[in-house]
Amino acid sequence: MNRIMNEEMPEYSGSRAVIESLLQEGVEVIFGYPGGAIIPVYDILYDYRDRIHHVLTRHEQGAVHAAQGYARVSSRVGVCMVTSGPGATNTITGLADAMADSTPLVLITGQVGSTQLGTNAFQEVDIIAITQPVTKWNFQVRKASEIPGALARAFYLARSGRPGPVVIDITRDAQVGMTPFRYEPAREVRGYVPYPVPDPRQVERAVALIREARRPMILFGQGVTLGGAEEEFRAFVEKSDMPAASTLLGLSTLPVTHPRYVGLLGMHGNYAPNIKNRECDLLVAVGMRFDDRVTGNPLKFGENARIIHLEIDPAEINKIIRVDVPVLGNAKETLPLLTAGIEQGDHEDWTSEFRARAAVEEQETIQPAIHPGDAALHMGEVVRAVSEAYDDDAVLVTDVGQQQVFACRYFGYKRPRSVVTSGGLGTMGFGLPAAIGACLGAPHREICLFAGDGGLQMTIQELGTVAQLNLPVKILLMNNGYLGMVRQWQELFFHKRYSFTAITNPEFEYIARAHGVAYRQVTRREDLRDAVREMKAHPGPFLLEVKVMQEENVFPMIPAGAAVSDILVK
């Protein structure tokens, strides 16, 4: 029987088996950087150029962030490929970021020959041991015959349940060895339960609490989007009639115009959902993990509320916040169970209290940010000008820092999967390569990247990738001459001791034009909207540098260790 099967199956090299396996998984784009230990796979990839688009990034970290951006906007698994040694270790930050933000990713790394393992051979590192803490799963392939099965499992684990990054390390002899090829997509992995079955008793308890609540609030995170449950979530919101607040990664799950959307929760979130946290009698957390940037002091979070937690990962239940009713399962399955069990709610009076608090923030924080009274350009007004130019319907990509918070607060969203930002790890340098991936993952949408002068320079070499592909990424560079978020903390909590946060920048114009990227600089408010129109009309990549106020602070803000209800509006 084995002889007959082998005769029917094609005989491939391990390298060809890699590429054929990727095709079986529907992979269309790979982000990567070739090197000695992965050359055999790249050699085969040369024959598949018309079927798989390989993007040569300028750094391996950029390849992983680009794959993240691709995955976040497309709902597909991002794929990247690098060589051994420094090529592999350069991906660690991206893997950690993907792990923190539950981004489905498969990274293929080359490795020295199996007989050289453990000999300190040229460009050998134990990437399996190194990546174990920052991956959902990893595996080293030493035989060509293991390749199809390893990749099938990798894609299944990366995308199923709570998504995450997976590493497949392939030795050189496995790449050049021959094997009968047969690919079967994985449908299960022993001992792995990606989708817990909801407990009907917990669903009933949750429904009972919702019926009793008079001052309830929904807190929703990226788990709604990762579960493909946007429609189910909207139905639950509208039937329950509860005000709903978003985590950073939950942004764009609901449009900003939805009548029950009350804003962003957490350290730099909106005033209303944070200040009303103490007054709630019920919090319904959907697909979020109670990150410390959301909860503030966990002992004071929702201190007067019963808490329902809809979550796919059992490890997140009671990890930070003790909950009254855990409902395990995919939000796409659990939300309809709750919606079916509850009656049509009416919380208009309670929601109106959020609107009253929102009016305070509008007067004290928002209007001064988007319509400042001084001559300096402010980040908030730049964000609003860009969002309005795109009719609140572009994909927002951000780097990390003050511009990230301003952009996420003041950019408008109409559709899901409209925000790509680094949440859990807060990786400076994430923005530019992630925007590359977003462009390729959502080619039908406009991509607007907001970056600070510090973060942009961490991966600025990826302008070469943008230029080579002529991707229409629109880059808004908020240049204030500081590492702004750190400087803000130094101002507010360290007596304005600006210890090494001032940064001397290059002439970004020369860098942009050297790559063939269109450029314009704005220093005056009266030139801003014209510059944004020029940027939007340009068919290719564009770098718009805006010289913004140097010592601007982003508010509201929850001081470290404080309760979310202690939020400061200014």
Side-chain angles (χ1 to χ4, degrees), residues 31-154:
F31 304 91
Y33 204 101
I38 198 70
I39 280 180
V41 178
Y42 268 90
D43 181 64
I44 295 298
L45 184 58
Y46 188 83
D47 297 330
Y48 290 79
R49 289 168 296 166
D50 60 335
R51 301 176 68 183
I52 295 180
H53 181 196
H54 179 274
V55 175
L56 176 65
T57 58
R58 298 311 188 256
H59 192 280
E60 291 89 353
Q61 180 180 344
V64 184
H65 290 328
Q68 289 178 268
Y70 178 89
R72 294 274 286 274
V73 300
S74 69
S75 76
R76 306 178 72 176
V77 176
V79 179
C80 38
M81 186 162 65
V82 302
T83 192
S84 64
T89 58
N90 281 343
T91 67
I92 303 303
T93 298
L95 291 172
D97 194 283
M99 189 69 175
D101 288 351
S102 302
T103 303
L105 191 78
V106 170
L107 168 65
I108 298 169
T109 59
Q111 184 57 275
V112 301
S114 57
T115 60
Q116 295 176 295
L117 292 171
T119 67
N120 200 26
F122 178 67
Q123 291 193 337
E124 179 199 358
V125 295
D126 187 352
I127 200 64
I128 296 299
I130 292 172
T131 60
Q132 190 169 11
V134 293
T135 54
K136 189 175 179 182
W137 182 65
N138 62 14
F139 183 72
Q140 186 174 76
V141 173
R142 300 187 185 185
K143 297 178 181 179
S145 59
E146 297 174 333
I147 287 173
L151 285 172
R153 179 176 287 195

Side-chain angles (χ1 to χ4, degrees), residues 168-213:
I168 301 296
D169 189 48
I170 309 177
T171 63
R172 188 177 174 90
D173 48 325
Q175 296 173 44
V176 299
M178 302 300 292
T179 182
F181 178 79
R182 185 177 190 176
Y183 192 83
E184 295 184 5
R187 292 179 173 83
E188 63 178 359
V189 171
R190 182 180 298 177
Y192 171 61
V193 182
Y195 306 107
V197 177
D199 184 340
R201 294 170 299 178
Q202 299 292 53
V203 172
E204 290 175 6
R205 292 179 62 202
V207 167
L209 288 183
I210 292 171
R211 287 174 175 169
E212 295 169 4

